[in-house]
Amino acid sequence: MAFGDGILQCLGLKNELSRCPFRITVFGNDGAIIGGVKKIAEITESEIAFITDKKIVAISGKNLKITCYGENEAAISGVISCVSISDRRKDERR
């Protein structure tokens, strides 16, 4: 069993990652990778927010920068202090 499979099993998710609309990997407080990104909602030095299929993922901190942005994925560097997830409003679902 791979390490990631063990984590999924502990969370009760089995191997059903294909159903996951987005994924966030945080590297300490120095950076993050967000998968499942549809578009950028907001970008400042203290907050970067992404629109995913059904949620908004916001990364807060200091000196935040998008270091890589590609097909469905973005990488952020800077001092990360908070990751928050909220529902999208109906007018944002385009």
Side-chain angles (χ1 to χ4, degrees), residues 17-72:
L17 281 181
S18 61
R19 295 176 48 197
C20 182
F22 63 91
R23 187 183 306 185
I24 305 166
T25 304
V26 180
F27 300 97
N29 66 342
D30 298 325
I33 296 175
I34 298 96
V37 171
K38 298 272 186 192
K39 63 182 180 177
I40 300 169
E42 180 180 353
I43 182 168
T44 68
E45 282 190 7
S46 60
E47 181 173 87
I48 300 176
F50 298 96
I51 295 175
T52 68
D53 192 33
K54 295 181 180 180
K55 303 286 184 178
I56 295 176
V57 176
I59 309 291
S60 301
K62 295 180 185 176
N63 301 320
L64 298 178
K65 296 178 184 129
I66 296 175
T67 56
C68 186
Y69 183 73
E71 187 177 333
N72 295 321

Side-chain angles (χ1 to χ4, degrees), residues 22 49-50 52 54-58 83-89 92-93:
F22 63 91
F50 298 96
T52 68
K54 295 181 180 180
K55 303 286 184 178
I56 295 176
V57 176
V83 176
S84 62
I85 301 166
S86 60
D87 290 328
R88 288 177 61 181
R89 296 187 313 249
E92 294 173 326
R93 294 188 184 198

